[in-house]
Amino acid sequence: MSLSINLPLILSAAFVASASPGPATLAIADTAMQAGRRTGLALALGVVTGSLTWSVAAALGLAAVMASSRWMLEVLRYLGGAYLLVLAFKSARSAIRGPAAMERNAAEVSASRAYAKGLALHLTNPKAILFFGSLYTLGLSPQASPAELVLVIAAVGLQSAAIFTGYALLFSNGRLARGYLRLRRWFEGAFAVLFAGAGLKVLASRL
């Protein structure tokens, strides 16, 4: 392994950040159980694309530039928090309206819309900028070559894809899906509370 990069350290930190429960994993679980495997995978790939975008930005030094521009992070923080509150509202509305409304909502979610939802979820997450910026500062030397940068970006991207698509496959499992159908109003209510909590946390945080 080159002395310019500490790939095990980078991958370990990225694994903990990606695999830990958060807005992205909540959205993937909700979509996969409600709309099925194909739609859940589409949303997961949107999240992966957003993650890859910030990863490339951090490797090119753009994350450091954005982190130094506080107003940019503040705009992203408000957008991300507002988006999570919108997701909370939609989940709460589905829980209140009951099965018929949830069936309509599931039918209306196309793969392209799910992908866009996952992408928006991650691109409006200011924590992702700070995470990737600190991650590459910690595990990547300024002397790293372009080839080594590409290696790190590819490795982090593949690991992220495995984690998020794995969640989509897990939560679209038939047994979990059947359990969701029986208890979906409770699930939607729980997701509403969790999305609202995440949104308020983002809005109240100081970057």
Side-chain angles (χ1 to χ4, degrees), residues 28-194:
I28 291 169
D30 182 28
T31 302
M33 287 191 293
Q34 184 178 172
R37 178 167 298 174
R38 179 172 176 270
T39 310
L41 284 171
L43 189 140
L45 290 176
V47 172
V48 171
T49 303
S51 178
L52 188 60
T53 300
W54 289 131
S55 181
V56 171
L60 295 177
L62 297 179
V65 174
M66 290 194 69
S68 66
S69 303
R70 187 171 183 83
W71 71 269
M72 290 186 181
L73 289 179
E74 286 295 297
V75 169
L76 279 176
R77 182 165 69 87
Y78 284 113
L79 286 174
Y83 187 62
L84 289 170
L85 291 179
V86 169
L87 294 181
F89 171 76
K90 288 183 176 180
S91 293
R93 184 178 59 183
S94 293
I96 293 170
R97 289 183 177 179
M102 281 183 273
E103 285 171 6
R104 286 198 304 273
N105 289 342
E108 290 169 359
V109 179
S110 65
S112 59
R113 287 182 63 184
Y115 176 86
K117 176 181 175 180
L119 181 61
L121 193 63
H122 226 55
L123 288 182
T124 57
N125 183 6
K127 302 293 185 183
I129 307 171
L130 299 177
F131 167 73
F132 280 110
S134 61
L135 178 68
Y136 283 5
T137 301
L138 179 67
L140 198 62
S141 166
Q143 287 74 44
S145 68
E148 289 172 327
L149 283 176
V150 171
L151 172 64
V152 171
I153 291 170
V156 172
L158 288 172
Q159 179 175 265
S160 175
I163 291 169
F164 291 123
T165 57
Y167 275 127
L169 293 173
L170 172 65
F171 286 103
S172 62
N173 175 273
R175 182 175 296 178
L176 283 175
R178 287 191 294 273
Y180 173 84
L181 290 174
R182 289 195 300 270
L183 303 170
R184 52 188 171 183
R185 294 188 77 170
W186 293 100
F187 271 109
E188 287 296 319
F191 280 125
V193 171
L194 291 171

